[in-house]
Amino acid sequence: MKIDVRHFDEVIVVDLNGRLVAGDGADILGEVVSALLEEHWTKILLNFEKVTTIDSTGAGELVASLKAAKSAEASLKLLRPRERVAKSLQIGQLLPLFEIFADESDAVKSF
């Protein structure tokens, strides 16, 4: 999993690229979100456009990141999850937990 972080004013965009699975990307996601929360970023957008696969560990880390954000009074939203990833989140009944956007500028404006 490769992760790039960029920002638009007060919104941090985390570009994820690869597989969000045990032993590959799940731990990295949690570390990045924790670091951003420690730096007091409160508007986090996870760009899932290039995430090819998510497993139960990755989904668990995503939910843990959402809980950590809420505890820090921060917002965490998703951008462009691929159909396969969205389907995995839907099967796990996790899709309703997240605000999901297809357009980056709409997502940034939503904060």
Side-chain angles (χ1 to χ4, degrees):
M1 166 77 52
K2 182 178 184 227
I3 295 181
D4 292 314
V5 178
R6 54 194 167 91
H7 63 87
F8 295 98
D9 297 321
E10 296 178 2
V11 178
I12 285 285
V13 180
V14 180
D15 295 312
L16 306 163
N17 188 341
R19 299 164 28 104
L20 189 56
V21 297
D24 194 5
D27 294 339
I28 296 169
L29 174 63
E31 291 169 10
V32 168
V33 170
S34 291
L36 293 171
L37 293 172
E38 286 175 16
E39 293 173 10
H40 305 290
W41 289 99
T42 59
K43 300 172 183 177
I44 303 170
L45 180 62
L46 301 179
N47 182 358
F48 267 68
E49 184 174 22
K50 295 182 180 175
V51 174
T52 57
T53 306
I54 187 169
D55 70 0
S56 60
T57 302
E61 193 59 55
L62 186 58
V63 171
S65 295
L66 179 63
K67 286 182 181 181
K70 285 184 177 184
S71 292
E73 297 181 9
S75 296
L76 187 139
K77 301 179 183 187
L78 303 183
L79 175 65
R80 296 186 199 114
R82 291 181 175 196
E83 184 177 343
R84 182 176 181 178
V85 171
K87 201 169 269 194
S88 294
L89 294 174
Q90 184 178 19
I91 289 169
Q93 299 179 349
L94 302 177
L95 214 49
L97 299 176
F98 296 93
E99 276 189 77
I100 299 174
F101 294 86
D103 181 77
E104 185 171 303
S105 65
D106 289 343
V108 170
K109 289 176 190 174
S110 76
F111 283 98

